Amino acid sequence: MDLFDYKPEKPFSQKHLVWLKDYTQDEILQIISLGLKLKKEFKEGKPNRTLEGKTLAMVFSKSSTRTRVSFEVGMYQLGGMALFLSASDIQLGRGETIADTARVLSRMVDGIMIRTFKQSDVDELAEYAAVPVINGLTDLVHPCQALADIMTLYEQKGGLQGLKLAYMGDGNNVANSLLTICSKLGVNISMACPKGYEPDDGMIDRAKAFAARSGSSVILTHEPEAAVQGADAVYTDVWASMGEESETEVRKRFFIPYQVNGALFSLAKPDAIFLHCLPCHRDEEVTADVVDGPASAVIDEAENRLHVQKAVLCLLMGGGR
Ligand code: CP
Ligand code: NVA
């Protein structure tokens, strides 16, 4: 399938990007296709003012480099502007309700992006906001990252259907979103997690149901070698996510067999790529020879956050483009 020439089955009609589970395959492909086109146009120096005069409020309760910069620069490049709102500096951090924050921001801005802990807070924000709400990461999911990951996989491999992505390590927010997007798009996903650190059963069951429809497979194992065998892409993430720092030392003991090092990576296909959402910890979840090696696509993947975020912004806030 040529995603540059993707013909939507239906007009894009989502109001928010809260969870990818609520998106159809067609809607996800529309975002990735537009991301690819916007990237090409941007590289060719063609201006795009789809969001002229529009504003995005960005609420952050956790640190960020890629998410903050991609949304802020993306808004600027599309003719609009973004406001960085640290949750601890706005009244939300002093107890103003999410509902009131949503109602008030909706009268002043055209969209809200939020990075926080609880998924239910994003759900509530979307419930009360009159403008689009975009999930910039919760403890549960990281949909914007998964979109950039799949865009990168497509660019690197020239297709998606039938590819195998192997995910090593923590069954966290990144893992959950990869399960959803891969299973919806026909990418086989094999996940190797330590016992007790797997994604929730509900996530796996839902992904298996999506995979049955797209003709792909979802495999969960405790054996990293089995998961990596024959993979087109090997993916890992930090062993302790934001908010779990106190567990770092305990987790290291369980996670070390899941480290993506040269030996484990060599079990994937000879032309396999390495992916990581970043930031990474060298010599923890990945060794330097892999993340800094020739098969690593992590910087392209990070760059694609910008292009795919612009696609999300155009589709949700710009009426397409
Ligand atoms: N991958 C990602 O979301 O990076 P940041 O935490 O830097 O935004
Ligand atoms: N799982 C990581 C992803 C960071 C982009 C975290 O939540 O900290």
Side-chain angles (χ1 to χ4, degrees):
M1 178 191 292
D2 180 3
L3 281 184
F4 278 96
D5 198 27
Y6 182 70
K7 303 271 184 298
E9 289 166 14
K10 289 185 181 166
F12 190 89
S13 62
Q14 291 281 348
K15 180 173 177 199
H16 307 292
L17 175 52
V18 167
W19 287 70
L20 281 173
K21 74 173 172 59
D22 299 330
Y23 274 54
T24 62
Q25 182 186 82
D26 179 50
E27 287 162 341
I28 296 171
L29 292 177
Q30 285 187 50
I31 298 173
I32 294 166
S33 172
L34 182 54
L36 291 163
K37 286 182 201 153
L38 290 171
K39 180 175 184 177
K40 183 167 177 287
E41 282 179 10
F42 181 72
K43 303 270 177 194
E44 290 167 356
K46 293 187 184 147
N48 182 322
R49 313 288 292 175
T50 299
L51 299 182
E52 182 103 55
K54 299 225 167 149
T55 48
L56 177 76
M58 308 190 301
V59 181
F60 281 93
S61 302
K62 291 178 175 175
S63 304
S64 171
T65 299
R66 280 142 290 266
T67 304
R68 177 177 175 181
V69 175
S70 58
F71 275 104
E72 193 159 337
V73 171
M75 281 301 295
Y76 175 76
Q77 289 180 356
L78 291 166
M81 65 158 288
L83 301 91
F84 174 76
L85 303 172
S86 165
S88 59
D89 291 341
I90 59 174
Q91 299 289 11
L92 185 67
R94 293 183 57 250
E96 184 164 22
T97 65
I98 290 172
D100 283 351
T101 305
R103 291 184 188 110
V104 171
L105 286 178
S106 296
R107 296 287 178 98
M108 301 192 195
V109 301
D110 302 287
I112 306 168
M113 194 283 296
I114 179 163
R115 166 169 286 197
T116 191
F117 294 87
K118 283 159 52 187
Q119 179 66 27
S120 57
D121 287 353
V122 181
D123 296 341
E124 193 179 344
L125 193 70
E127 186 184 339
Y128 290 98
V131 297
V133 169
I134 301 170
N135 185 341
L137 178 148
T138 61
D139 291 345
L140 192 68
V141 289
H142 196 358
C144 294
Q145 181 66 49
L147 290 165
D149 300 337
I150 290 295
M151 178 171 162
T152 311
L153 190 62
Y154 176 81
E155 284 180 329
Q156 297 278 334
K157 297 290 162 194
L160 294 174
Q161 189 79 34
L163 294 178
K164 174 178 175 179
L165 183 142
Y167 178 92
M168 300 294 111
D170 193 18
N172 61 15
N173 43 12
V174 168
N176 287 337
S177 288
L178 283 171
L179 276 171
T180 304
I181 203 163
C182 287
S183 58
K184 287 210 175 213
L185 299 187
V187 176
N188 302 307
I189 181 162
S190 289
M191 204 162 258
C193 309
K195 286 201 173 104
Y197 294 96
E198 305 92 344
D200 289 346
D201 287 347
M203 284 286 174
I204 297 284
D205 292 346
R206 192 184 297 124
K208 283 188 173 163
F210 295 147
R213 263 176 266 152
S214 72
S216 59
S217 63
V218 175
I219 293 170
L220 179 64
T221 170
H222 301 299
E223 293 170 25
E225 292 79 8
V228 170
Q229 208 74 241
D232 297 282
V234 180
Y235 198 122
T236 190
D237 186 15
V238 292
W239 292 341
S241 285
M242 289 181 276
E244 298 171 341
E245 289 80 359
S246 63
E247 297 175 31
T248 301
E249 290 311 311
V250 175
R251 282 172 171 251
K252 274 183 191 168
R253 276 186 265 138
F254 295 103
F255 281 82
I256 194 71
Y258 299 81
Q259 180 188 69
V260 181
N261 50 38
L264 185 62
F265 191 70
S266 71
L267 301 177
K269 281 192 182 154
D271 63 350
I273 58 167
F274 174 73
L275 296 171
H276 191 306
C277 57
L278 301 181
C280 70
H281 297 99
R282 285 174 179 76
D283 296 328
E284 290 186 20
E285 75 272 10
V286 63
T287 52
D289 56 326
V290 175
V291 69
D292 301 322
S296 177
V298 299
I299 305 301
D300 297 309
E301 184 184 3
E303 180 194 335
N304 283 340
R305 291 294 305 278
L306 170 65
H307 307 295
V308 92
Q309 251 64 122
K310 286 168 71 179
V312 168
L313 292 166
C314 284
L315 285 163
L316 291 178
M317 290 167 59
R321 53 190 319 220

